[in-house]
Amino acid sequence: MSDIEEDEFQDAQDAQDDQDAQDARNAQETIPQHTSMDLDTAIMDAKKATYYFFNNDFESARKIMEPWASSSMYHSLGTSVFASIEAFLTFDQKFIDKAAGLIKQCMSVCSKQRKHVTLTQNIGKMVKKTNYDDYTTEEVHAELCYAESLLLRALLTFVEYESFVSFVKGGLKIRTCFLSYKECMTILNSRKWESQEHKIHFESGVRTGIGAFNLMISLLPPKIIKLLEFVGFSGDKEYGLSELEAGYGERRGLRHVLCAIFLLSYNLLISFTLGHHDGDLDWCEKALEKELSHCPNGVLFLFFKGRYELTRGNFENAIDWYIKSWKSQDLWPEFHDICYWELMWSHCSLQQWDEAATFAHTLMKNSNWSRTIYVYNKAAILLMQKPPPQKEDIDTLMMVVPYYKQRIAGKSLPMEKFAIKKAERYFSQKKNLVLPMFELMYLWNLFRALGKRQDLIMSIFKVIEGTEKELANKSKAEFHADNEALLLLLKGACLRQMKHPLLAENCLKRILEMDKLIKEDTYLLPYATVELALLAQDQGNIQLAIELLEDAKKNFSGYLLESRLQFRIHSDLMQLTGKRAEDILE
């Protein structure tokens, strides 16, 4: 770190230490004290608890961690991690409060065991670098555990309060956390390690934190990255991935499994949703084989295996793995909802509408995450059935879509806005929508996976062609151009996946020629432009692809799901130009 960053970091730590001391005093009133525990035993316990946790034996993991959570940094950190995962999965206020309390306790435990720097020593930092050889092994591990507890606290802030203020607070806390990880990296590289094992565990944590930060920041749109760089953040995707892969490669490291979770999440979820290129699926296949041999009943690895099969286009296999994940544990029923969500899309991809409607209904009744989206999904699925079920049921669903609208960080969810607009359109079009589930499947990027199954993409294409003929035979109503353009986008996307570039290009260009006719669905224009860019890339015309992506980025604004497409454009430009995020800011 620079001298300025060190001073800023120390000021932040001094303020936090005061708060931690008060939290510690409060904690002592309610938490019984235990005798001290040595570092090696604590790390061994953390390994055992991690094994139990990722094999779904959550109670055994807690029994190892909780008795020492008020006095041992690794036990306290483990307890905080388990509680935070529960909070993130449930969004239940009682679990959020519990996690917040345990994280505060962890920070106070770590603060007691960190190196305490005097005012004189702090002033001395301005003229000479810190000698980290003066730190004990316990003190450097306390620095790392403290950084990890800061990260948990920052992430929890984002779900603790649904206001913009929470995002500002979370951002400031992540700033402190980022500086803490940077100091840990300095410790790793400058300290003389007496024990290789202690270094391996420390390095595992540093690589996990630094890798995750770089990866997450690199995925943000350029304008946000520019602001983050102004306050000292930087993001390098390749560096982040290499750090996580190095952390995963050292299987003896305590955070090895966290590196696996980050990498699987990036390659199977983030890359799929926020880009148009597959992640490293070969790496995922090998990693899942290893982790499932070690944790055959692990809910997360079973889920990721399902996601891997879906990304490969093997929807039938994906369904089997998602069901295994869902049925592997009952402690977190909220995680069942994530599996139901994936099962719904898998059945939609196979056009198994009855089964898809069943999971959509379960989500609508049980999950609190976004009932607006779940209700609209169920209505859209019912409209895909031939013939549709009772129209009264669909009418009722469409009427209540806006009722469950929510605000996160003071803003509406983009996909909820989209669902509400489509519900309004349903009634404006005499209680009808054009292939609403295919539209959602396209927007969720499922056509990428469907393109790996020519039988499935051909089946969808035939349905689109049939609907196109029906629309042509109807008199032109208010939203005729919008519906025609939607069918052209879906048809063009199918044709691209079917390797018919000229036919696909014709469909997509016709959409752009309709820009003055489209009344509401203006999102179709930038999405068609991006689809043309992907088509150009498929043909090896990289320069044209870049130009079209730049056009989509600069020439369209104010349309539905704009942020989603901007993320994808950013990802595609980075992929095509081979540049880092900060290199394409302008």
Side-chain angles (χ1 to χ4, degrees):
M1 289 190 291
S2 66
D3 291 341
I4 294 175
E5 283 183 324
E6 274 201 81
D7 292 341
E8 182 183 349
F9 174 64
Q10 190 58 49
D11 290 342
Q13 300 310 297
D14 291 342
Q16 188 58 54
D17 287 346
D18 292 339
Q19 183 62 50
D20 292 341
Q22 181 59 49
D23 291 336
R25 287 192 290 272
N26 294 339
Q28 303 311 311
E29 298 175 5
T30 56
I31 301 174
Q33 292 299 291
H34 299 275
T35 58
S36 61
M37 172 175 284
D38 66 274
L39 181 62
D40 290 330
T41 304
I43 290 174
M44 188 180 300
D45 278 358
K47 276 187 172 183
K48 290 178 184 176
T50 300
Y51 174 78
Y52 284 131
F53 182 82
F54 285 101
N55 272 287
N56 292 2
D57 192 349
F58 307 118
E59 190 58 32
S60 294
R62 283 200 175 101
K63 284 180 179 178
I64 292 174
M65 294 283 101
E66 288 182 352
W68 294 90
S70 62
S71 58
S72 166
M73 59 179 135
Y74 272 106
H75 291 77
S76 188
L77 180 64
T79 304
S80 300
V81 169
F82 298 158
S84 297
I85 290 175
E86 197 165 37
F88 297 146
L89 286 176
T90 63
F91 278 80
D92 190 307
Q93 192 60 46
K94 67 176 181 290
F95 292 123
I96 292 172
D97 293 341
K98 175 186 174 183
L102 289 171
I103 291 169
K104 283 185 178 180
Q105 174 185 288
C106 180
M107 293 173 70
S108 66
V109 169
C110 293
S111 291
K112 289 179 184 178
Q113 299 179 57
R114 290 166 64 212
K115 181 78 168 179
H116 293 287
V117 181
T118 65
L119 178 60
T120 302
Q121 290 170 323
N122 192 31
I123 294 173
K125 281 187 173 184
M126 298 180 184
V127 294
K128 66 177 183 179
K129 293 183 178 179
T130 304
N131 182 7
Y132 290 110
D133 288 334
D134 290 340
Y135 285 46
T136 66
T137 304
E138 286 76 11
E139 286 170 342
V140 296
H141 275 270
E143 289 293 335
L144 176 59
C145 291
Y146 186 78
E148 290 170 323
S149 63
L150 282 172
L151 180 57
L152 289 175
R153 185 187 66 158
L155 294 175
L156 195 66
T157 302
F158 291 119
V159 300
E160 197 168 4
Y161 307 105
E162 293 182 2
S163 68
F164 182 73
V165 174
S166 72
F167 274 65
V168 174
K169 288 181 178 178
L172 293 173
K173 289 173 181 177
I174 285 180
R175 163 71 172 160
T176 305
C177 177
F178 185 62
L179 291 174
S180 187
Y181 268 114
K182 285 184 73 175
E183 179 159 17
C184 288
M185 178 63 86
T186 304
I187 293 173
L188 173 65
N189 292 330
S190 62
R191 175 183 166 80
K192 294 178 182 177
W193 293 86
E194 297 176 358
S195 167
Q196 188 65 19
E197 184 176 352
H198 289 157
K199 180 184 179 182
I200 286 171
H201 293 307
F202 188 86
E203 183 173 356
S204 174
V206 173
R207 292 192 185 280
T208 303
I210 294 292
F213 264 112
N214 274 274
L215 183 58
M216 288 188 291
I217 294 171
S218 73
L219 297 170
L220 297 173
K223 289 182 180 179
I224 297 177
I225 291 177
K226 198 168 187 177
L227 290 173
L228 291 174
E229 287 187 327
F230 179 75
V231 296
F233 283 111
S234 62
D236 184 331
K237 184 179 76 171
E238 296 307 319
Y239 177 59
L241 287 172
S242 67
E243 286 295 290
L244 288 169
E245 287 169 2
Y248 177 74
E250 180 48 82
R251 298 185 67 84
R252 294 172 295 174
L254 184 57
R255 283 85 170 177
H256 147 83
V257 68
L258 292 179
C259 290
I261 297 298
F262 275 120
L263 287 167
L264 289 168
S265 297
Y266 170 74
N267 286 305
L268 297 177
L269 295 171
I270 297 172
S271 290
F272 191 92
T273 305
L274 299 183
H276 294 102
H277 303 88
D278 284 340
D280 190 342
L281 299 185
D282 291 337
W283 181 91
C284 292
E285 182 179 22
K286 294 174 184 175
L288 285 167
E289 185 178 352
K290 286 182 181 178
E291 299 311 319
L292 284 169
S293 67
H294 187 62
C295 304
N297 297 313
V299 58
L300 287 176
F301 293 118
L302 290 170
F303 171 82
F304 281 124
K305 179 64 173 176
R307 187 70 197 186
Y308 167 79
E309 294 293 346
L310 181 145
T311 306
R312 289 288 197 193
N314 302 323
F315 297 100
E316 297 88 347
N317 292 343
I319 289 169
D320 292 339
W321 286 103
Y322 285 137
I323 291 173
K324 288 178 183 178
S325 178
W326 148 32
K327 294 187 175 181
S328 68
Q329 60 85 35
D330 291 316
L331 181 64
W332 296 327
E334 293 79 10
F335 193 82
H336 295 174
D337 295 336
I338 299 175
C339 294
Y340 299 155
W341 173 263
E342 295 289 313
L343 284 161
M344 179 190 74
W345 291 114
S346 297
H347 284 295
C348 285
S349 298
L350 297 169
Q351 296 188 62
Q352 296 173 346
W353 303 120
D354 288 343
E355 293 86 345
T358 298
F359 287 110
H361 179 80
T362 302
L363 286 166
M364 185 182 74
K365 293 297 183 183
N366 295 344
S367 178
N368 294 322
W369 178 72
S370 175
R371 287 190 173 174
T372 286
I373 293 175
Y374 297 145
V375 171
Y376 178 71
N377 281 354
K378 182 181 178 183
I381 291 169
L382 294 179
L383 282 170
M384 299 296 293
Q385 295 178 328
K386 298 295 182 184
Q390 292 291 327
K391 271 284 187 179
E392 292 79 5
D393 295 340
I394 300 175
D395 293 350
T396 301
L397 291 170
M398 290 296 190
M399 281 191 289
V400 300
V401 165
Y403 178 78
Y404 296 109
K405 180 181 178 181
Q406 58 186 336
R407 300 180 76 83
I408 303 295
K411 294 188 176 183
S412 302
L413 295 175
M415 188 54 80
E416 287 194 347
K417 285 184 180 180
F418 182 87
I420 291 168
K421 279 286 186 184
K422 287 295 176 176
E424 293 171 355
R425 174 76 67 78
Y426 171 78
F427 292 106
S428 300
Q429 292 185 161
K430 299 179 180 180
K431 299 182 179 180
N432 184 48
L433 288 174
V434 173
L435 301 182
M437 213 57 203
F438 285 172
E439 181 180 29
L440 287 176
M441 287 161 63
Y442 175 82
L443 293 171
W444 283 105
N445 245 353
L446 277 166
F447 276 46
R448 277 176 57 194
L450 285 162
K452 298 170 184 176
R453 286 281 299 274
Q454 290 299 300
D455 58 327
L456 297 181
I457 201 74
M458 176 60 77
S459 176
I460 288 174
F461 180 75
K462 288 179 179 178
V463 175
I464 296 169
E465 278 199 316
T467 307
E468 196 175 34
K469 291 176 182 177
E470 292 175 7
L471 183 66
N473 293 329
K474 292 181 179 179
S475 58
K476 292 188 177 181
E478 183 180 7
F479 298 103
H480 181 87
D482 298 60
N483 294 330
E484 183 181 353
L486 171 60
L487 289 172
L488 285 170
L489 178 63
L490 297 176
K491 188 176 178 181
C494 284
L495 287 166
R496 183 173 79 83
Q497 298 295 340
M498 294 160 63
K499 312 301 181 190
H500 296 301
L502 294 179
L503 293 174
E505 182 180 5
N506 179 57
C507 290
L508 298 168
K509 285 185 174 180
R510 283 171 61 190
I511 297 171
L512 300 181
E513 293 168 359
M514 298 169 65
D515 62 328
K516 303 297 184 185
L517 300 175
I518 295 173
K519 184 170 179 144
E520 279 190 354
D521 291 339
T522 54
Y523 84 90
L524 295 169
L525 299 166
Y527 274 79
T529 305
V530 170
E531 198 69 29
L532 280 168
L534 298 174
L535 193 61
Q537 182 188 346
D538 293 343
Q539 300 302 109
N541 195 338
I542 303 303
Q543 186 56 42
L544 177 58
I546 293 172
E547 290 173 3
L548 286 166
L549 289 170
E550 293 286 357
D551 287 345
K553 182 172 73 171
K554 295 176 181 178
N555 296 338
F556 301 95
S557 62
Y559 54 90
L560 289 172
L561 304 177
E562 181 176 356
S563 60
R564 174 177 297 222
L565 189 61
Q566 289 293 337
F567 269 103
R568 292 175 182 172
I569 292 171
H570 171 62
S571 175
D572 292 342
L573 284 172
M574 288 179 65
Q575 183 85 15
L576 292 176
T577 60
K579 294 180 179 180
R580 301 190 331 170
E582 53 266 38
D583 296 328
I584 57 174
L585 287 174
E586 299 302 329

